[in-house]
């Protein structure tokens, strides 16, 4: 940013104030007010203005000193050499620009070491005669906080150094304390259960855990540590390069990140940055970039440091996966079973590789737990392919008078009272006539896992319902080219294709009809079993609970659900329409479509299930997988083929994200059962 549209002096003051406030919240309160990306943008803008207006540079500007300042809770520790920060490169051209700068200082070829940039907090450890003696936070880089008692509880930090060579009489080791993702999830679950404040991310959890007055609290938090630098060192072996330093640290018993690599030149550096970016979600802890360091310590000395950061290192920052944005509204959507799901309407933000404008809030308790309120600035997170999530509000930015969100009393679509039964997490619209449920039921009937009618998605269904052409799934078969063509956005060709698709769906078979009707608990495998055993829809409708439970894979829950379904007048009407329209309701001819569930194989694939699914109990989901040759196991590993995620998933979801295991929601699961894995 070269020129600012507003008065530069005014903007500089404004940016400094914003940064100061953000620093205060981040370091003193462990309660950040902005996402890192926003903070970085302020810093860059400030630096840009200061570069083009050198008269505005002031010694106390945040650009002239490292972030962070010590608090009053812990005794101050003056670092023997300052703990500097790192300059950032936000893309490859900035990385190469850094390289150009350092090659102007040093003429010999430069070798590098690449490290993951851990998203935790920098710590200095002092070992005297090999014994762990003191730990301090970075603070403002000159003075940090004494957190010895707390750091002493971190299991991976040795109390006594070992190693083959002579132990230095005094050595300062620097590195990062962080919280592994699985431990973070677990901690937040515990916090939630106890009604305590949730941590926004693992870094805040690590910082909050380390800055506890009572070390027993720190001890109950699973913190970890990687060493990546030396401060002062009196005695011990002479070290000439960073890779020698790391090897020595490892030998002395300090944990060193196994993903660190020596890199011969800047091309290898660029490739390393990309590799680490790819591995970002499979490390088990959060990283926000790669740190590239000049390997040769002699070359480092030649390059030197500014007051803020060394010239011999650079942080290559990854695109942010967390951003803050405005929560414009909280609305409720109604599903085909009437489930009312709250969701966040956000001021769209580009995060984690896509623009996010909507995010589910799951249920009433989830909104209460996060306490997000309309008008709040919220942290939105989207990591990799994972569904976007509202992490929580930025309380510092909450407007006075912001009200707690209340679940609406009435269905937004039909106005009838919403019902939440005791002991259940979900709230329902129980009016079967509800127009939104109607739309969603039709959408489900036409979906790929059911009757697979191409071109009949939610938008079209809504249009046809509004035009009075559809009131239930049975009406689909009354759609003709003549009736469709007058509608908006409906060319003759599309109408013909759609009617062709509808026609083809008549012979999908009874099992798919049953799935399409949306009988609760009746998944594709049970539907097939029932269809095969009873032979026709008439027989199923007439069957007693005993006759139904006699079918392999059908228990009381399914049997009673089937009976309940046919007891509803509206459902019988739909079935009549299907029959009149010539839809195949006989099992014998069932399941012979091009992509029959029966033909699907999941041979050699391993599944892990977490959270509740709508259409299947756990056992049913397992049976569906096993019926196709797949296996279900309990724990997620790199070998897991898919993790199927339902409502309120457990820590397995986090584990899958860490390991980069593909994640399926219920719709994806149904699809996989129907069609098999993509080739
Ligand atoms: S070296 C003078 N190596 O990033 C260089 N820092 O943005 C000192 N960090 O304060 C830092 N991973 O808290 C270094 N592998 C790594 C790192 C790392 C994370 C943090 C560290 C530092 C901050 C600078």
């Amino acid at each position: 940013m070269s020129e600012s549209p507003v008065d530069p002096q005014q903007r500089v003051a404004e940016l400094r104030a914003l940064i100061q406030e953000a620093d205060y919240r981040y370091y003193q309160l462990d309660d950040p007010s902005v996402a890192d990306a926003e903070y970085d943008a302020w810093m860059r803008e400030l630096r840009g203005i200061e570069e083009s207006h050198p008269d505005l540079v002031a010694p106390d500007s945040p650009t002239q000193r490292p972030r962070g300042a010590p608090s009053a809770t812990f005794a101050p520790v003056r670092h023997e050499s300052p703990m500097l920060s790192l300059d950032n490169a936000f893309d490859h051209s900035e990385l190469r620009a850094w390289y150009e700068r350092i090659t102007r200082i040093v003429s010999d070829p430069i070798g590098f070491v690449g490290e993951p940039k851990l998203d935790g907090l920098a710590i200095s450890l002092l070992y005297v005669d090999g014994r762990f003696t003191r730990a301090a936070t970075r603070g403002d880089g000159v003075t940090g906080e004494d957190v010895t008692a707390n750091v002493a509880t971190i299991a991976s930090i040795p109390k006594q150094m070992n190693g083959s060579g002579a132990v230095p009489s005094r050595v300062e080791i620097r590195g990062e304390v962080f919280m592994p993702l699985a431990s973070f999830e677990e901690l937040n679950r515990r916090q939630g259960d106890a009604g305590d404040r949730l941590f926004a991310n693992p870094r805040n959890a690590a910082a909050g855990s380390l800055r506890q007055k009572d070390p027993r609290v720190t001890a109950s938090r699973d913190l970890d540590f990687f060493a990546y630098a030396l401060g002062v060192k009196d005695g011990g072996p002479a070290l000439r390069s960073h890779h020698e330093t790391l090897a020595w640290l490892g030998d002395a018993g300090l944990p060193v990140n196994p993903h660190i690599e020596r890199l011969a030149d800047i091309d290898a550096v660029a490739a390393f940055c990309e590799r680490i970016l790819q591995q970002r979600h499979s490390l088990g802890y959060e990283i926000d970039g790669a740190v590239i360091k000049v390997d040769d310590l002699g070359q480092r000395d030649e390059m030197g440091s500014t007051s803020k950061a060394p010239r011999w290192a650079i942080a290559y920052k990854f695109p942010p996966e967390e951003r803050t944005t405005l929560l414009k509204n909280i609305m409720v959507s109604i599903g085909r079973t009437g489930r009312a799901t709250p969701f966040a309407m956000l001021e769209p933000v580009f995060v984690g590789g896509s623009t996010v404008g909507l995010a589910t809030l799951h249920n009433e308790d989830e909104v209460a737990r996060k306490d997000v309120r309309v008008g709040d600035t919220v942290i939105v997170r989207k990591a990799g392919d994972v569904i976007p999530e509202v992490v929580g509000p930025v309380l510092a930015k909450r407007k006075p008078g912001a009200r707690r969100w209340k679940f609406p009393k009435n269905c937004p679509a039909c106005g009838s009272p919403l019902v939440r039964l005791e002991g259940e997490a979900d709230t329902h619209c129980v009016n079967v006539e509800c127009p939104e449920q109607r739309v969603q039921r039709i959408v489900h009937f036409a979906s790929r896992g059911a009757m697979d009618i191409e071109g009949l998605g939610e938008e079209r269904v809504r249009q046809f319902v509004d035009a009075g052409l559809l009131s239930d799934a049975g009406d689909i078969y009354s759609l003709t080219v003549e009736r469709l063509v007058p509608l908006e956005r409906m060319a003759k060709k599309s109408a013909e294709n759609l009617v062709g698709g509808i026609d083809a769906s008549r012979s999908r078979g009874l099992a798919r009809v049953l799935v399409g009707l949306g009988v609760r608990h009746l998944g594709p495998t049970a539907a097939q079993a029932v269809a095969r055993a009873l032979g026709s829809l008439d027989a199923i409708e007439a069957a007693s609970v005993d006759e139904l439970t006699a079918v392999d894979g059908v228990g009381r829950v399914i049997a009673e659900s089937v009976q309940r379904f046919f007891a509803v007048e509206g459902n019988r009407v739909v079935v009549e329409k299907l029959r009149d329209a010539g839809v195949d309701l006989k099992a014998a001819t069932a399941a012979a479509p091009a992509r029959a569930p029966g033909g699907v194989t999941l041979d050699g694939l391993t599944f892990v299930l977490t959270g509740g699914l709508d259409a299947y109990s756990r056992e049913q989901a397992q049976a569906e997988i096993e019926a196709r040759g797949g296996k279900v196991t309990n724990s997620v590993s790199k070998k897991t083929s898919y993790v199927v995620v339902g409502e309120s998933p457990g820590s397995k979801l986090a584990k899958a994200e860490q390991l980069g295991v593909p994640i399926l929601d219920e719709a994806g699961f149904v699809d996989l059962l129907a069609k098999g894995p993509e080739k």
Side-chain angles (χ1 to χ4, degrees):
M1 191 163 299
S2 56
E3 213 59 56
S4 186
V6 291
D7 172 21
Q9 189 169 0
Q10 205 179 334
R11 183 64 183 155
V12 161
E14 188 177 15
L15 287 167
R16 285 178 188 160
L18 285 168
I19 291 165
Q20 197 177 359
E21 164 73 10
D23 278 347
Y24 171 72
R25 297 237 148 233
Y26 186 102
Y27 287 102
Q28 306 303 312
L29 307 181
D30 295 326
D31 182 17
S33 53
V34 286
D36 282 1
E38 213 164 326
Y39 183 93
D40 286 343
W42 290 341
M43 277 299 247
R44 304 182 101 196
E45 188 185 347
L46 180 58
R47 213 169 281 129
I49 303 176
E50 287 179 350
E51 265 164 29
S52 45
H53 303 272
D55 53 309
L56 293 178
V57 179
D60 64 344
S61 172
T63 56
Q64 305 301 306
R65 56 173 167 78
R67 271 184 99 177
S71 81
T73 321
F74 299 91
V77 172
R78 219 183 144 78
H79 300 299
E80 293 184 32
S81 64
M83 283 182 83
L84 298 179
S85 181
L86 291 170
D87 284 336
N88 293 324
F90 290 93
D91 56 37
H92 281 277
S93 72
E94 293 187 6
L95 192 61
R96 293 205 184 248
W98 167 71
Y99 176 69
E100 296 300 327
R101 284 200 297 280
I102 57 172
T103 47
R104 283 199 288 272
I105 307 175
V106 168
S107 49
D108 289 338
I110 302 172
F112 302 92
V113 172
E115 308 182 359
K117 186 172 188 302
L118 307 156
D119 204 3
L121 59 154
I123 286 286
S124 146
L125 308 174
L126 182 68
Y127 284 79
V128 177
D129 294 328
R131 269 215 78 69
F132 169 68
T133 308
R134 193 191 65 200
T137 62
R138 185 176 65 175
D140 63 4
V142 176
T143 310
E145 299 167 332
D146 188 326
V147 286
T148 310
N150 291 341
V151 168
T153 70
I154 301 175
S156 55
I157 294 181
K159 302 290 162 307
Q160 178 71 48
M161 282 173 69
N162 52 32
S164 40
V167 169
S169 57
R170 193 180 162 80
V171 61
E172 188 203 353
I173 291 160
R174 294 178 177 178
E176 198 89 347
V177 167
F178 61 95
M179 187 176 283
L181 275 172
S183 315
F184 165 71
E185 301 278 338
E186 173 60 31
L187 171 61
N188 258 358
R189 215 173 356 267
R190 279 192 341 236
Q191 295 281 111
D193 289 348
D196 290 338
R197 171 174 89 100
L198 300 189
F199 292 102
N201 53 45
R203 186 195 50 225
N204 292 120
S209 302
L210 208 57
R211 297 176 77 257
Q212 290 288 332
K213 284 197 193 118
D214 182 352
R216 283 173 302 184
V217 178
T218 313
S220 74
R221 311 274 173 87
D222 181 30
L223 294 173
D224 209 340
F225 174 80
F226 279 130
Y228 51 60
L230 281 187
V232 291
K233 181 165 88 57
D234 299 335
L239 300 165
R240 283 163 314 212
S241 65
H242 188 51
H243 76 266
E244 278 177 18
T245 306
L246 294 171
W248 180 79
L249 283 168
D251 198 36
L254 282 131
V256 174
N257 194 316
H259 296 279
I260 294 179
E261 288 183 37
R262 279 177 78 180
L263 306 163
D265 54 30
I266 192 67
D267 290 334
V269 164
F272 174 81
C273 290
E274 285 312 299
R275 241 183 349 267
I276 291 291
L277 178 58
Q278 294 310 316
Q279 293 174 358
R280 182 177 197 176
H281 296 295
S282 53
L283 297 173
Y285 45 83
E286 289 215 320
I287 61 170
D288 59 348
V291 182
I292 306 302
K293 300 174 181 175
V294 170
D295 192 21
D296 186 287
L297 302 187
Q299 288 184 334
R300 285 191 184 185
D301 282 345
E302 280 182 65
M303 293 173 195
S305 302
T306 66
S307 63
K308 186 180 166 261
R311 292 194 186 86
W312 45 261
I314 189 109
Y316 175 82
K317 293 283 273 257
F318 294 159
E321 297 194 320
E322 274 183 12
R323 296 286 302 271
T324 46
T325 190
L326 176 70
L327 174 60
K328 293 196 295 192
N329 207 350
I330 299 175
M331 313 269 274
V332 164
S333 71
I334 302 294
R336 76 183 155 88
T337 61
R339 182 161 73 199
T341 307
F343 65 96
M345 292 190 65
L346 305 163
E347 184 65 44
V349 271
F350 191 77
V351 55
S354 63
T355 300
V356 174
L358 300 175
T360 177
L361 290 165
H362 302 289
N363 57 44
E364 184 174 16
D365 292 347
E366 185 77 0
V367 185
R369 194 171 68 84
K370 293 189 167 154
D371 187 21
V372 282
R373 305 183 186 187
V374 173
D376 272 354
T377 296
V378 292
I379 299 172
V380 176
R381 180 175 171 81
K382 180 168 179 294
D385 297 333
V386 177
I387 307 152
E389 186 200 9
V390 174
V391 177
V394 177
L395 290 177
K397 287 200 170 177
R398 176 163 286 164
K399 305 230 166 44
R403 298 256 198 99
R404 257 184 190 282
W405 183 75
K406 284 212 190 75
F407 212 99
K409 291 205 161 36
N410 297 89
C411 171
C414 71
S416 59
L418 292 174
V419 178
R420 179 175 174 188
L421 298 178
E422 216 174 297
E424 287 198 2
D426 291 327
T427 304
H428 281 91
C429 164
V430 292
N431 169 22
V432 285
E433 301 292 320
C434 171
E436 187 57 24
Q437 288 185 49
R438 200 190 287 277
V439 165
Q440 295 302 335
R441 281 198 297 267
I442 300 171
V443 169
H444 172 76
F445 184 86
S447 69
R448 291 204 292 170
M451 298 297 268
D452 198 6
I453 304 176
E454 202 156 327
L456 195 55
E458 178 163 337
E459 211 177 310
R460 283 295 188 202
V461 169
R462 223 173 263 289
Q463 183 187 19
F464 300 166
V465 168
D466 288 347
L469 297 179
L470 294 181
S471 70
D472 60 38
D475 293 339
I476 291 172
Y477 296 92
S478 67
L479 295 176
T480 58
V481 174
E482 294 68 41
R483 298 183 72 197
L484 291 175
V485 163
L487 300 180
E488 264 179 55
R489 293 172 285 114
M490 182 58 82
K492 185 147 187 265
K493 187 80 199 137
S494 331
E496 283 168 358
N497 286 344
L498 180 55
V499 170
I502 293 170
D503 239 4
S505 77
R506 282 191 170 84
S507 50
R508 293 270 189 263
L510 180 54
R512 279 183 175 243
V513 173
L514 285 172
V515 171
L517 288 171
V519 182
R520 227 175 148 210
H521 306 300
L522 190 70
T525 300
Q528 279 229 349
V530 171
R532 281 214 191 93
L534 294 169
S536 72
L537 197 64
D538 289 339
I540 297 169
E541 188 173 348
S544 66
V545 166
D546 286 347
E547 282 166 316
L548 285 165
T549 50
V551 177
D552 216 20
V554 175
R556 273 204 96 74
V557 173
I558 297 183
E560 284 173 2
S561 173
V562 169
Q563 289 220 318
R564 262 199 310 278
F565 178 85
F566 287 107
V568 175
E569 166 74 22
N571 292 338
R572 289 203 303 270
V573 169
V574 174
V575 168
E576 265 333 290
K577 287 183 187 172
L578 297 180
R579 194 191 316 278
D580 291 348
V583 174
D584 189 349
L585 302 176
K586 294 260 195 312
T589 56
R595 288 168 286 179
V600 167
T601 170
L602 302 176
D603 262 350
L605 300 181
T606 314
F607 291 75
V608 172
L609 308 168
T610 177
L613 298 175
D614 216 40
Y616 312 85
S617 68
R618 215 195 144 70
E619 292 67 34
Q620 286 161 4
Q622 177 159 358
E624 299 283 359
I625 291 165
E626 289 171 353
R628 290 162 177 79
K631 241 177 41 191
V632 175
T633 64
N634 253 329
S635 55
V636 182
S637 77
K638 278 198 169 154
K639 295 204 181 112
T640 308
S641 317
Y642 295 97
V643 172
V644 181
V645 176
E647 278 295 306
S648 313
S651 59
K652 289 170 189 170
L653 172 58
K655 190 78 193 285
E657 286 167 9
Q658 272 169 38
L659 297 178
V661 173
I663 292 166
L664 291 175
D665 60 9
E666 182 158 355
F669 178 56
V670 170
D671 222 53
L672 184 80
L673 292 178
K675 298 186 164 176
E678 278 178 18
K679 299 273 157 28

